[in-house]
Amino acid sequence: MRVLLVALGRSSRVSVLDLATASLALSRRAHLLLYDPEVVGEAVVEAPENVEKGWILHADEGASPLLVKEAVRRIAEDFDALLFNDSPLSFWVAPLLAGELASPLVTDVVRVRREGEAIIVTRPIAKETLWADYELIGGKPVLVVRRGFEAPELPRRVLRLEALYASGAREGLRVLEVRKADTGLARLELANVVVGVGDGVRQSGTLYLAERLARLLGAEVACTEPLVKSGLMDRSRLVGISGRRIAPRLYLALGVSGSLYHLAGVASARIIASVNKDRSALINSYADYFYVGDLREVLPALIERLSQA
Amino acid sequence: MAQEKRASGCVLVFAKFLSSEGCLDEQALSTVEFSRALKERFGLKLVGAVVVEEAFASLAARELFARGADEVRVYAIPTEAVRRCDLWGMARIMQRAVSEAGCDLVVVGERSSDTSFGCLGGYLAGMMGLRYIRYVVEVLEVSGSSVKAVSQPEERIVMEAEAPVVLSPLSELYPPKPVHARSKIEAARKRPSVVRVEAPDERRLALKTIRRPEHRRRALAELTGVSELADVIRRALGGSA
């Protein structure tokens, strides 16, 4: 089976391991197509050895997702299965392509395996409380692999990517203007430490303390939906919905109750620590460590202790 | 862009109904709110569509009417078909709904499907050869031939798409408004159109098992002091904090 790994978006490079690992159940060899609008010219990536060849897609500034989809489609003709990374752009392009191809499409894939000739993929359902295994039927499978797909340590090497230029008519969907926003999502995806702020921070008025703690730790700040809805934080900091998942070494959740969608977004963190005044907060059932306390007292004390040499 | 054609004057919104809870999905409420905003801003007719077991047709329709739908179309599927209906099957039913409604705008929420989170709108657009704009923040213009909208996957993009177009809005930007008692009373007097459909025999996914997640076991250790918490953080950072 010929497998094409498709990594789209600003943090596409960090997805290569997820995709390469997921593809091992389907084929020992895979090809990679990477598109990062900020990369110009030739590129190299660190990739596991099963990725034998790769391309980097280039497009004019303001290229629409339609143009990216068309480019992927042309390359995908030579492949039997497509694995996309977990990014906002992939969640745009993958379903469009899958619909055109009348393919089986599954997102948030956490496991891939074979049973004889059958391909079985696993994804969470019922608000992350259960896992479902699906057999793919017919067509060219299109999968969106969840960030932090559990992977063994694979030997890696430097892979030089061949440049490819997206071209073609842009009828139907035109980009009129692009305003580069804070690349919060890309920084979150690459961060080693992330401080997550939830509604408890908003209610206790301790956002400024949470941000001070983050600066002290050299951490990025993520948030839950209430913070976006209240206007306190930009949507680029929201973690937990499609294409917005992170896998830092440490995720420190402050005042986060633990909506299952948000938890899905941080489930791949190596260590999760939570501070919440409610012992029964759902996040405490998903954390490695949790501390029950009032943020107004905890955060100043924590900042003081961590500031000591 | 395509030649100017006569605008349909309507927006079609698909709402997910939770049979187990007897109400519209929480996120569907935001999708409907977004669609109602389009109706009010551009003077469109709002057509609500829902795929549900026939027993819930009235309940689902009443909720859509109460939230501003001018017309509701229920596509009623047999109970035994509910489990069998995968993304492909659902998209085929929606394809029929889109063709029958003939609206220039089709709105599909991000959580419309359990098997492919946030992808049903794009999948439907791909099947039907329609344009698709996702992460919609705001619709700026609607004409018979095109739709101009602001999308924010990461950066903020203004796009123009040839109509008809499928939109998936950012639900957190459109929290549902309370429904007034009068709207509920009026909704109870309205009747949806109910069409019985079968889930297509052809499938792309076959559910094999449902099981407990294989989450990595977490320690679930309760810390008793801020000092312990600081120690945890320092260790996680390799002692560099």
Side-chain angles (χ1 to χ4, degrees):
Chain A
M1 173 174 269
R2 299 200 69 199
V3 179
L4 179 65
L5 314 179
V6 185
L8 306 178
R10 286 201 167 76
S11 53
S12 48
R13 289 160 190 266
V14 300
S15 313
V16 176
L17 179 60
D18 296 339
L19 293 174
T21 307
S23 72
L24 285 173
L26 304 178
S27 173
R28 294 181 60 193
R29 291 282 179 260
H31 284 55
L32 171 69
L33 174 63
L34 194 141
Y35 171 66
D36 180 343
E38 303 217 315
V39 173
V40 178
E42 279 200 345
V44 294
V45 291
E46 203 176 57
E49 287 176 344
N50 66 315
V51 183
E52 63 180 7
K53 186 177 176 176
W55 301 276
I56 177 118
L57 182 66
H58 295 296
D60 295 341
E61 184 170 346
S64 78
L66 186 66
L67 194 67
V68 175
K69 186 268 297 178
E70 285 299 310
V72 173
R73 182 174 181 153
R74 275 196 292 275
I75 296 170
E77 282 174 5
D78 295 331
F79 292 87
D80 306 306
L82 310 177
L83 272 58
F84 282 79
N85 68 324
D86 194 335
S87 72
L89 187 54
S90 284
F91 270 88
W92 194 325
V93 170
L96 261 181
L97 189 54
E100 285 179 14
L101 299 174
S103 288
L105 166 69
V106 183
T107 63
D108 293 273
V109 172
V110 295
R111 295 282 187 274
V112 180
R113 70 177 194 272
R114 290 269 213 171
E115 282 182 4
E117 290 299 310
I119 300 172
I120 313 294
V121 300
T122 305
R123 78 175 308 277
I125 59 168
K127 299 183 180 178
E128 303 285 329
T129 57
L130 296 167
W131 278 10
D133 301 310
Y134 294 94
E135 179 179 345
L136 307 184
I137 301 170
K140 182 179 306 199
V142 176
L143 309 179
V144 181
V145 176
R146 180 172 274 196
R147 179 89 173 87
F149 189 93
E150 281 202 15
E153 278 299 316
L154 296 172
R156 301 181 211 189
R157 60 183 174 80
V158 171
L159 179 70
R160 184 167 296 278
L161 303 177
E162 201 178 305
L164 214 60
Y165 294 91
S167 61
R170 300 180 190 197
E171 288 172 9
L173 184 68
R174 283 194 307 153
V175 171
L176 303 178
E177 181 192 321
V178 177
R179 191 183 309 164
K180 292 207 166 145
D182 165 29
T183 51
L185 177 61
R187 292 209 297 271
L188 280 173
E189 289 186 330
L190 299 171
N192 227 5
V193 183
V194 175
V195 171
V197 296
D199 206 31
V201 167
R202 183 187 66 83
Q203 291 179 19
S204 62
T206 53
L207 180 59
Y208 72 103
L209 289 172
E211 290 173 334
R212 191 183 299 172
L213 175 63
R215 283 194 297 275
L216 180 62
L217 298 176
E220 289 293 332
V221 180
C223 71
T224 62
E225 209 167 287
L227 280 289
V228 175
K229 282 184 174 167
S230 65
L232 278 175
M233 296 202 69
D234 187 75
R235 191 179 176 275
S236 64
R237 297 286 160 176
L238 179 63
V239 166
I241 57 174
S242 24
R244 292 180 166 272
R245 278 177 274 266
I246 59 175
R249 182 193 276 177
L250 170 65
Y251 179 67
L252 179 59
L254 304 176
V256 173
S257 62
S259 117
L260 284 163
Y261 294 114
H262 180 76
L263 289 173
V266 305
S268 300
R270 198 176 298 179
I271 297 170
I272 297 177
S274 161
V275 181
N276 198 301
K277 68 178 183 182
D278 180 4
R279 179 173 276 104
S280 63
L282 184 61
I283 190 154
N284 294 343
S285 305
Y286 286 80
D288 294 283
Y289 305 96
F290 66 95
Y291 180 65
V292 181
D294 189 324
L295 289 170
R296 286 170 292 199
E297 294 166 8
V298 172
L299 287 180
L302 184 61
I303 289 169
E304 189 191 334
R305 276 168 178 72
L306 289 172
S307 298
Q308 292 164 2
Chain B
M1 288 286 138
Q3 264 183 316
E4 191 70 34
K5 64 177 175 69
R6 193 159 161 247
S8 67
C10 67
V11 50
L12 173 68
V13 59
F14 287 96
K16 182 176 180 180
F17 186 84
L18 301 174
S19 305
S20 56
E21 295 174 36
C23 61
L24 291 181
D25 177 70
E26 167 196 344
Q27 202 227 28
L29 300 181
S30 297
T31 310
V32 173
E33 189 60 45
F34 168 82
S35 306
R36 178 163 68 173
L38 292 179
K39 161 186 166 172
E40 290 169 0
R41 182 171 176 184
F42 299 106
L44 303 171
K45 183 170 89 167
L46 178 56
V47 180
V50 61
V51 180
V52 73
E53 295 138 281
E54 192 165 352
F56 297 102
S58 294
L59 202 53
R62 196 174 306 170
E63 208 168 340
L64 282 167
F65 280 128
R67 291 184 179 278
D70 300 296
E71 181 185 327
V72 174
R73 299 175 177 217
V74 176
Y75 291 83
I77 58 173
T79 303
E80 62 272 16
V82 170
R83 187 184 291 184
R84 207 173 67 232
C85 196
D86 63 357
L87 181 77
W88 166 258
M90 183 61 70
R92 289 294 300 271
I93 297 171
M94 291 168 72
Q95 181 178 23
R96 173 178 173 174
V98 171
S99 300
E100 289 175 349
C103 296
D104 290 330
L105 299 179
V106 178
V107 182
V108 183
E110 285 206 320
R111 294 181 202 161
S112 301
S113 163
D114 257 354
T115 55
S116 289
F117 205 68
C119 291
L120 190 49
Y123 197 86
L124 175 68
M127 274 175 74
M128 297 187 70
L130 303 179
R131 302 304 163 219
Y132 178 54
I133 303 180
R134 194 174 171 155
Y135 312 111
V136 175
V137 172
E138 184 188 359
V139 174
L140 301 174
E141 280 176 29
V142 175
S143 74
S145 58
S146 69
V147 173
K148 195 185 286 185
V150 180
S151 163
Q152 191 166 342
E154 294 185 63
E155 58 275 283
R156 193 175 172 89
I157 310 173
V158 179
M159 302 183 132
E160 185 175 27
E162 186 180 306
V165 60
V166 179
L167 305 173
S168 288
L170 290 178
S171 61
E172 64 268 20
L173 300 180
Y174 293 88
K177 295 188 175 127
V179 177
H180 295 294
R182 179 179 293 180
S183 300
K184 292 182 186 175
I185 293 168
E186 287 173 1
R189 295 196 196 112
K190 297 179 182 176
R191 294 286 171 264
S193 73
V194 180
V195 178
R196 290 187 185 88
V197 295
E198 291 292 330
D201 286 331
E202 196 183 344
R203 290 186 293 168
R204 294 291 181 269
L205 301 176
L207 175 65
K208 288 183 68 73
T209 46
I210 293 177
R211 55 192 170 99
R212 284 186 177 278
E214 295 169 15
H215 289 307
R216 184 170 70 84
R217 282 185 172 275
R218 299 264 181 197
L220 307 183
E222 182 171 358
L223 303 172
T224 56
V226 175
S227 298
E228 284 190 4
L229 177 60
D231 286 342
V232 162
I233 293 171
R234 284 198 194 94
R235 279 201 308 273
L237 299 181
S240 58

